Amino acid sequence: MDKQIIVGITGASGVAYALRLLDCLEEAGCHVHLVVSALGRRLLGDEGDVHALTAENLIGRPSERLYFYDFDDLHCRLASGSFLTDGMVICPCSSNTLGAVAAGRADNLLTRAAMVTLKEARRLILVHREIPLSPIDLENMLRLSRAGAIICPAAPAFYTNPRTIDDLIDFLVGKILDLLSIDHALKNRWLG
Ligand SMILES: Cc1cc2nc3c(=O)[nH]c(=O)nc-3n(C[C@H](O)[C@H](O)[C@H](O)COP(=O)(O)O)c2cc1C
């Protein structure tokens, strides 16, 4: 069966990672359920030139596998564990959302879906981006890691000899796809 993946986009820098992730997940045949915070929408415009949430704007083509949800709609299927998914990625993940999930807050669809993912013991991947990290961020990460989440900082490596920004983006997106057990051909491996 095709995978069902929730993607949350929050107001951290790095929406280019999210756009490539959506592209790759959709291309891999996944059903992608997208929730974007208010600040995520602002940064999609500022950094990604995406001013309206449509498949064409996000991945450059129409899609029947990309589903859009209202950030405030706590009454929709993603708010319940009865809707079966294969996991959730928050990419990029702000310190604000990191802290909200670590505190168990569920007052918007993005954090509620994250809480559901954790309680159902499904894959929750937080692609956090902020530097430097405060002790509060670090404690939130440890708390979430102990609760079963995967903290995957937006920190691409250089052992693949990246030449372009796209190479760096692909490295990180390849890592996220690996964590979701989704096949891909992105260049992110050290082959010795
Ligand atoms: C241009 C810009 C870049 C930002 N980059 C980051 C970032 O990289 N990491 C972060 O934690 N917050 C960042 N912020 C701050 C968050 O957007 C802010 O904390 C917001 O409350 C996050 O809300 P959300 O978690 O609901 O998206 C940035 C804000 C702006 C305006």
Side-chain angles (χ1 to χ4, degrees), residues 17-189:
Y17 295 123
L19 295 174
R20 184 70 169 132
L21 177 64
L22 293 172
D23 178 26
C24 292
L25 288 173
E26 201 275 347
E27 193 175 81
C30 299
H31 292 267
V32 184
H33 304 271
L34 181 64
V35 189
V36 186
S37 74
L39 261 292
R41 288 186 79 125
R42 292 284 296 269
L43 290 200
L44 271 170
D46 294 345
E47 294 184 358
D49 206 22
V50 172
H51 300 283
L53 296 181
T54 65
E56 285 84 353
N57 289 347
L58 291 162
I59 62 173
R61 57 184 179 273
S63 172
E64 291 181 353
R65 291 193 297 272
L66 197 47
Y67 307 84
F68 299 92
Y69 298 83
D70 186 338
F71 183 64
D72 295 314
D73 185 5
L74 284 161
H75 202 264
C76 75
R77 57 187 177 177
L78 297 192
S80 170
S82 64
F83 181 66
L84 300 180
T85 74
D86 296 285
M88 175 171 183
V89 187
I90 306 180
C91 175
C93 180
S94 69
S95 289
N96 175 61
T97 293
L98 179 88
V101 179
R105 295 199 58 163
D107 56 356
N108 63 62
L109 184 60
L110 201 154
T111 55
R112 170 63 186 164
M115 294 314 302
V116 167
T117 305
L118 272 186
K119 86 179 172 74
E120 299 292 339
R122 299 172 187 153
R123 261 296 191 245
L124 175 64
I125 299 166
L126 304 180
V127 184
H128 181 259
R129 202 227 72 89
E130 186 59 285
I131 50 168
L133 296 172
S134 72
I136 293 171
D137 289 333
L138 292 165
E139 284 182 5
N140 285 335
M141 287 179 183
L142 182 58
R143 186 175 164 90
L144 282 165
S145 179
R146 285 183 170 147
I150 296 173
I151 307 298
C152 179
F158 287 79
Y159 52 68
T160 52
N161 293 318
R163 294 282 177 259
T164 65
I165 292 174
D166 284 346
D167 291 342
L168 293 170
I169 293 168
D170 278 5
F171 177 90
L172 189 75
V173 171
K175 187 74 200 175
I176 298 166
L177 295 172
D178 286 346
L179 291 169
L180 290 168
S181 302
I182 292 172
D183 288 341
H184 65 85
L186 303 180
K187 210 175 137 197
N188 71 322
R189 307 204 191 287

